[in-house]
Amino acid sequence: MKSFPSEMRAFKDPLTGRTVRQLTTKSNNYHLYFTENAFVRGTNDIIFLSDRASRVDSDPAADPHYNVFSMDLDSGVMTQLTDEESPVARATKTPDGRLIVYNTKKQIKALDTLSGKVTTLYTEEGNYNLASPSISPNLRYIGFVRNEKTGHEHGPNYSGFKERYYLVKDARITIAA
C-alpha cells in the first residue's frame, strides 16, 4: 500500500497550556464515527478515512473519494489500507486493528490488515443505502443497517439529516455471518 509523509505539527493550547498535535493538514480527513475507537490496541496507530489518495482537491460537501488509512503516531507516516472504486462511507475495526469492516455505496467489506485480503461480505441489490457496520465481539457476525433510499441524501455536518430521518419508513438491521 502507498504511504504518505507526516503532516503533524504541535502547538500549545492557549487556555490549558497543553501540547496539542494536529495530525493532518492536507486533503479531507475524518476520524471514525464518534462511537468508534480509532486507536489500535498494542500499537501507536490510529485508523481514519481520507481522500488524499484520490489526488483531487475536493470540497468536503462534494462527496470526496475516501479510503481507509492508518497513521503511526510516532512518525506521522500515513498508510493507505484500502483502494476502493467507490468511496468508503463508514468503517469500524476490532480493538487490535486486525479486522476493518467498511461500507461503500453498495457493499460491506472486510479487510484483514495482516494479510491485506479484502472480502466482500454483502452486496446491496435493492433500493437501500448501507450504513453503520459493526463487528460482534466473537467476530462471528458483521451487523449493518439498510435504509430505504429516499432520494434525499444528507450533506456535510448532518445537513438534511432531519428531513431524511422522517422520510425513511423501511430500515432493516442486517447481519452477515
Side-chain angles (χ1 to χ4, degrees):
M1 281 288 154
K2 187 172 182 182
S3 292
F4 296 81
S6 175
E7 300 170 3
M8 289 194 296
R9 71 179 188 96
F11 57 93
K12 289 255 187 222
D13 180 281
L15 295 175
T16 65
R18 295 179 79 83
T19 299
V20 176
R21 279 196 295 168
Q22 179 179 318
L23 302 179
T24 61
T25 60
K26 301 174 187 167
S27 305
N28 292 299
N29 308 282
Y30 73 89
H31 188 278
L32 300 183
Y33 197 64
F34 75 96
T35 58
E36 301 292 332
N37 187 346
F39 294 94
V40 178
R41 184 178 61 212
T43 72
N44 204 20
D45 294 350
I46 63 164
I47 304 297
F48 66 104
L49 300 182
S50 178
D51 72 341
R52 69 186 55 250
S54 71
R55 296 195 171 131
V56 175
D57 187 20
S58 65
D59 185 276
D63 198 21
H65 193 114
Y66 290 108
N67 270 290
V68 180
F69 285 75
S70 68
M71 179 188 290
D72 178 318
L73 294 173
D74 293 323
S75 69
V77 171
M78 296 165 275
T79 303
Q80 182 179 354
L81 300 178
T82 63
D83 188 17
E84 292 293 336
E85 278 186 41
S86 186
V88 173
R90 291 277 187 257
T92 187
K93 62 172 198 51
T94 53
D96 64 0
R98 166 88 191 255
L99 182 65
I100 298 173
V101 174
Y102 58 94
N103 68 281
T104 63
K105 289 185 180 186
K106 293 228 170 241
Q107 296 183 314
I108 301 289
K109 295 185 175 186
L111 166 66
D112 181 320
T113 58
L114 291 184
S115 70
K117 181 180 177 187
V118 175
T119 304
T120 300
L121 303 173
Y122 177 79
T123 300
E124 179 59 56
E125 295 182 10
N127 191 38
Y128 295 90
N129 290 315
L130 301 176
S132 308
S134 180
I135 305 167
S136 68
N138 65 3
L139 308 181
R140 185 172 173 191
Y141 304 106
I142 305 300
F144 51 97
V145 168
R146 297 169 57 229
N147 288 326
E148 72 174 312
K149 291 181 181 176
T150 62
H152 184 82
E153 301 303 317
H154 68 79
N157 295 324
Y158 294 94
S159 61
F161 179 82
K162 182 178 178 183
E163 295 82 359
R164 197 177 88 187
Y165 177 83
Y166 290 109
L167 290 172
V168 172
K169 304 295 183 220
D170 185 358
R172 300 177 182 194
I173 298 171
T174 307
I175 61 171

